[in-house]
Amino acid sequence: MDFDFTSLFAFILFGLTIGVVYGIVALGISLIYSGLDIVHFAHGEIYMFGAFFGLVFSEHMGVPYPLAILSAMVCTGLLGIVIERVFYRRLTRAGGGYTVAGMGMIICGFGMSVVLQNIAYLSWGADAEPFPVDLGEPFQFGDISLPKSYGLTAVIALLLMAVLHFFLKKTKIGLAVRAVAANKDIAFLMGINVPLMISLIFGLACALAAAAGVLIGPMQSVQVEMGYLMLMKAFAAAVVGGFGSLPGAIVGGLLVGIFENLGAAYISPNHKDIYAFLLLILVLMVRPSGLFGVEVRVKA
Amino acid sequence: MTTTTKGITALLAAGLVTGLAATALAGEIRIGVTMRMVSENGQKYGQMVVDEFDMINKAGGINGHTLDVTLLNDECKSDKGVANANKLIFQEKIHLLVGSTCSSVSLPIVDVTAKTKVPQIIPHSTNEKITQKGSAWVFRVPVSGRYYAGVNAKYVGENIGKKIAYLCAADAASQNDCEAMQAQMKSQFGAEAAYVAQVQEKEVDFRTHMQKIKSAGVDGIMIAALAETMARALVQSYEAGIPASVNRIGSSSASNSPVPAIAGDAAKGVFFTAAYAAADDRPIARLFNEMVRQRYGIHAPDHDFSQAYDLVRIVEIALGNADLKLDSANLAADRTAIRDAIANVKGYQGLASGPISFCAEATPQCRDGNRTAVLIAYTKGGKDYVTEVLARVTMPVDFGLK
């Protein structure tokens, strides 16, 4: 393909708009990791549940799309809190990271992923459901068409990140969340209700995944198996940005989105998912802790 | 009771149970079915196969023998399909295997049935390699991909243009459809592909491909993928600003109802080849459409339903003509008799748009039973989609073979 700047701009734009979605899901994964010391392998299914909740609110109950996003976030956040309290709490109490309980958490995450998929299958069936949201004519940048849903996705993603940043940096509860993420024992000694903060972190992370699910719904269909590929991309984004780093998750998501689109455009169009993992390997070779990561903490 | 008495009693009881089981099994024709039943459609046509066999039983069976049908779900995964086939063959001791839906599952099962000498009849898979493996035990009811590609290419080359872009998903059927279409465009019109991209099943974002296809100024885009992926790609082709004047060509899975349901307006104008069109106005087709609508709530049955139905009828004919002993000593002989009886089915005229015939040689000419492809176009998308038949073409038996 001949090189031209218009196409280059288009590919970067496409990468940015899908990258923010990867970034939001990666943000949740990093938030859980930084707060609970666990890698949550059921996060793809949480994202899928969020998308289905959004579909139910928007399509079946007639709730306006922005409100459907918020409602899905609330429902999925509550679902996340229930999952954390009922299933994960005992394991996280015994420690995360490299402990035996940490390994148990990983396996539990895989199990939860299968359970959630089956619940979704029983609730909504296996067929893909269309999620039509009419936002009007696409934006035109010369020869490039960008549906408004992508623009809206970028705006809402940035808004969510700003709200999360404000919450974590400027509020007292946010400070408590950061204290728990830094050191649970000291946070407890300082009088912070650690279990409550852990539930809050989990709920927030799940709500973010739900937002991503509802945002991507109109761009594709909503179906039970939609979480797997997104989880892989979000993991790649989280690792590229530095596992546990919140700004890193966003930057990682954007980089993964741009890199896979440029790879498909200029290297080979075949199997463009490979580029996300190629980027991951490249970054890990140069900077094993990721772009924004700190030295890996071994927790025992 | 002494230990000896207990032992004798246990042996007698075991013998009685085994004898009763053997009596129950003798006289039954055991049919194993493995299909992709993860979607609503999949579950319903799987159920339709079981229901149709049940109706044969209710009508007195075949030559006085009842059919014992075991239906398993392979989820379109080759490992599950092979496990199902082994379970059905070695545990259930089936006489006939029906399946699978997906080419990627049917392909490895062909090796299993060839090795164990169990007749296999395929309801849906189109990959041409299935009958090119040289197995004497496999029969295909659907139209082979080589015939579909020939019809598609002829129509595209003569009516659309020769500059075609291809998006090919990674499943076996889509890969075969894509490769066969490219080969046909080259052999019939000397046309090279304007753009080719392999994409993952479940791929989310096709915009980079669509931007490049738009820049290439093609006459048509062939999207070969399973239903949901195809629907997403169709929608994104319009979002990328590729006009409706660039024709969208679907692979045979475009006939599956999720394509128009998810793609909505983007499905309008998409054309594809299939074995059956719900728009078929033959009385048998109208009756079938009505039956599927009433019994399974399907708005317009696609060729997955019609092929499953035709398969049951072909099996019914073949079993009626087979000389079966149906005891465990003659299991291998019964399997051979069923294979030979299917090979003797000639000129079956059912829902397929042309006759279905098999013969004895283990060649694609003998085992690709249906050579008539229907060229179909969507005239309306959405859940209440509408199709029209553009053409019906019966291909020469050797077509597409090297």
Side-chain angles (χ1 to χ4, degrees):
Chain A
M1 182 189 173
D2 296 334
F3 178 85
D4 67 275
F5 281 102
T6 310
S7 295
L8 177 66
F9 172 66
F11 300 139
I12 291 174
L13 192 64
F14 297 156
L16 284 172
T17 49
I18 194 75
V20 288
V21 181
Y22 299 155
I24 299 173
V25 183
L27 193 60
I29 290 170
S30 274
L31 198 60
I32 291 174
Y33 180 77
S34 62
L36 283 79
D37 305 330
I38 61 169
V39 180
H40 190 222
F41 280 96
H43 217 62
E45 277 61 45
I46 297 287
Y47 156 84
M48 174 266 291
F49 256 78
F52 269 111
F53 283 144
L55 180 72
V56 169
F57 283 119
S58 176
E59 282 294 294
H60 303 168
M61 294 167 68
V63 174
Y65 184 61
L67 206 57
I69 297 175
L70 280 178
S71 309
M73 286 177 73
V74 170
C75 288
T76 315
L78 291 172
L79 173 72
I81 288 169
V82 170
I83 290 171
E84 189 276 322
R85 289 204 80 115
V86 176
F87 299 103
Y88 294 163
R89 177 65 59 93
R90 288 165 199 277
L91 287 162
T92 49
R93 249 186 216 152
Y98 294 98
T99 64
V100 173
M103 279 305 294
M105 262 310 305
I106 289 173
I107 294 160
C108 194
F110 277 122
M112 185 55 65
S113 148
V114 175
V115 169
L116 289 175
Q117 258 200 32
N118 280 283
I119 291 173
Y121 175 75
L122 290 171
S123 307
W124 295 294
D127 287 344
E129 292 283 337
F131 192 160
V133 177
D134 187 11
L135 298 168
E137 290 297 304
F139 296 117
Q140 280 298 136
F141 303 98
D143 194 33
I144 306 162
S145 297
L146 186 75
K148 283 190 175 148
S149 53
Y150 290 93
L152 184 71
T153 299
V155 170
I156 292 178
L158 290 172
L159 195 67
L160 282 172
M161 290 165 204
V163 169
L164 186 69
H165 180 82
F166 178 82
F167 170 73
L168 290 175
K169 298 281 183 186
K170 304 286 179 191
T171 68
K172 223 169 176 180
I173 300 174
L175 183 64
V177 167
R178 284 192 291 139
V180 169
N183 191 312
K184 289 181 197 59
D185 295 331
I186 295 175
F188 177 73
L189 292 173
M190 298 297 288
I192 294 170
N193 186 340
V194 175
L196 182 69
M197 288 305 123
I198 286 176
S199 291
L200 188 65
I201 290 170
F202 209 86
L204 264 177
C206 291
L208 286 171
V214 187
L215 286 170
I216 211 153
M219 301 178 207
Q220 50 163 305
S221 47
V222 177
Q223 61 177 321
V224 172
E225 292 172 346
M226 68 189 283
Y228 171 74
L229 198 58
M230 179 55 75
L231 182 74
M232 291 295 106
K233 300 281 180 73
F235 268 135
V239 175
V240 165
F243 227 98
S245 161
L246 303 189
I250 299 299
V251 175
L254 296 176
L255 285 176
V256 166
I258 293 170
F259 197 76
E260 68 177 10
N261 275 281
L262 291 181
Y266 295 114
I267 301 172
S268 163
N270 297 335
H271 301 291
K272 77 183 174 90
D273 296 327
I274 292 168
Y275 298 113
F277 302 100
L278 191 64
L279 176 68
L280 185 148
I281 293 165
L282 286 174
V283 169
L284 289 183
M285 281 168 68
V286 179
R287 202 176 151 79
S289 55
L291 295 176
F292 290 78
V294 288
E295 285 297 307
V296 176
R297 293 168 296 168
V298 178
K299 298 184 178 183
Chain B
M1 202 183 273
T2 64
T3 312
T4 315
T5 319
K6 276 183 188 169
I8 291 167
T9 313
L11 274 173
L12 283 173
L16 186 67
V17 170
T18 315
L20 284 174
T23 311
L25 288 175
E28 283 187 340
I29 303 169
R30 294 184 294 279
I31 299 173
V33 185
T34 177
M35 281 183 166
R36 173 186 190 254
M37 292 186 295
V38 287
S39 66
E40 192 187 350
N41 261 26
Q43 286 165 350
K44 286 183 175 170
Y45 60 66
Q47 189 55 48
M48 188 184 75
V49 169
V50 175
D51 291 347
E52 289 299 320
F53 281 131
D54 273 350
M55 282 184 186
I56 294 172
N57 282 337
K58 280 175 190 157
I62 296 174
N63 298 333
H65 304 300
T66 53
L67 306 177
D68 178 25
V69 180
T70 307
L71 174 66
L72 297 176
N73 181 7
D74 58 41
E75 300 172 24
C76 199
K77 292 175 182 164
S78 47
D79 57 337
K80 287 206 172 183
V82 170
N84 286 352
N86 279 318
K87 181 174 184 281
L88 291 165
I89 291 166
F90 293 108
Q91 288 180 27
E92 306 293 328
K93 310 275 187 213
I94 53 164
H95 294 98
L96 170 68
L97 181 74
V98 174
S100 171
T101 315
C102 303
S103 294
S104 48
V105 183
S106 294
L107 274 164
I109 293 180
V110 170
D111 299 327
V112 176
T113 52
K115 199 173 169 187
T116 50
K117 296 185 171 30
V118 175
Q120 176 189 2
I121 186 161
I122 292 174
H124 304 306
S125 311
T126 57
N127 189 303
E128 58 191 64
K129 294 186 185 86
I130 287 170
T131 49
Q132 290 175 8
K133 286 189 166 191
S135 168
W137 297 87
V138 69
F139 300 87
R140 188 200 325 249
V141 172
V143 180
S144 169
R146 63 191 167 102
Y147 297 137
Y148 280 145
V151 175
N152 252 340
K154 187 172 168 55
Y155 184 81
V156 169
E158 289 176 359
N159 300 284
I160 308 299
K162 296 170 186 70
K163 203 171 175 188
I164 306 298
Y166 300 85
L167 276 187
C168 318
D171 65 282
S174 305
Q175 286 288 309
N176 184 67
D177 286 350
C178 238
E179 285 167 14
M181 175 74 173
Q182 286 174 62
Q184 284 301 321
M185 285 300 289
K186 194 171 181 185
S187 71
Q188 290 187 38
F189 304 101
E192 295 285 350
Y195 179 84
V196 186
Q198 312 290 326
V199 299
Q200 291 284 99
E201 243 334 291
K202 313 286 179 199
E203 174 67 67
V204 175
D205 191 359
F206 299 95
R207 289 174 298 161
T208 300
H209 300 304
M210 295 306 173
Q211 185 68 25
K212 291 180 81 175
I213 290 168
K214 189 173 153 187
S215 305
V218 296
D219 300 315
I221 312 167
M222 178 173 191
I223 302 170
L226 297 182
E228 290 85 5
T229 308
M230 186 186 295
R232 273 199 292 277
L234 284 170
V235 171
Q236 290 184 23
S237 73
Y238 282 97
E239 287 178 350
I242 299 173
S245 57
V246 175
N247 288 267
R248 273 74 167 170
I249 308 147
S251 56
S252 62
S253 52
S255 66
N256 298 148
S257 60
V259 173
I262 298 167
D265 291 340
K268 191 179 169 187
V270 174
F271 66 89
F272 56 95
T273 41
Y276 175 77
D280 194 329
D281 56 3
R282 289 176 298 160
I284 185 178
R286 284 192 203 164
L287 283 170
F288 177 72
N289 290 349
E290 192 52 35
M291 180 273 282
V292 174
R293 203 170 294 138
Q294 282 184 2
R295 220 198 273 173
Y296 306 104
I298 298 290
H299 156 66
D302 59 23
H303 70 172
D304 285 349
F305 281 91
S306 71
Q307 289 169 158
Y309 185 87
D310 278 341
L311 180 142
V312 173
R313 300 282 80 86
I314 288 169
V315 166
E316 187 180 15
I317 293 165
L319 293 178
N321 293 332
D323 180 18
L324 303 174
K325 303 287 182 286
L326 299 176
D327 54 35
S328 54
N330 285 294
L331 182 61
D334 286 343
R335 286 170 172 173
T336 306
I338 292 172
R339 180 198 66 181
D340 295 344
I342 299 174
N344 274 323
V345 172
K346 314 274 182 215
Y348 162 80
Q349 191 77 58
L351 292 165
S353 297
I356 297 177
S357 298
F358 298 111
C359 47
E361 286 80 45
T363 59
Q365 290 94 328
C366 266
R367 300 309 173 92
D368 288 335
N370 185 0
R371 293 184 286 120
T372 306
V374 191
L375 199 61
I376 303 166
Y378 285 110
T379 53
K380 185 182 173 219
K383 285 189 173 165
D384 53 346
Y385 61 90
V386 180
T387 58
E388 68 171 346
V389 174
L390 301 176
R392 280 189 181 83
V393 187
T394 301
M395 301 299 282
V397 71
D398 290 329
F399 187 85
L401 294 174
K402 293 185 181 84

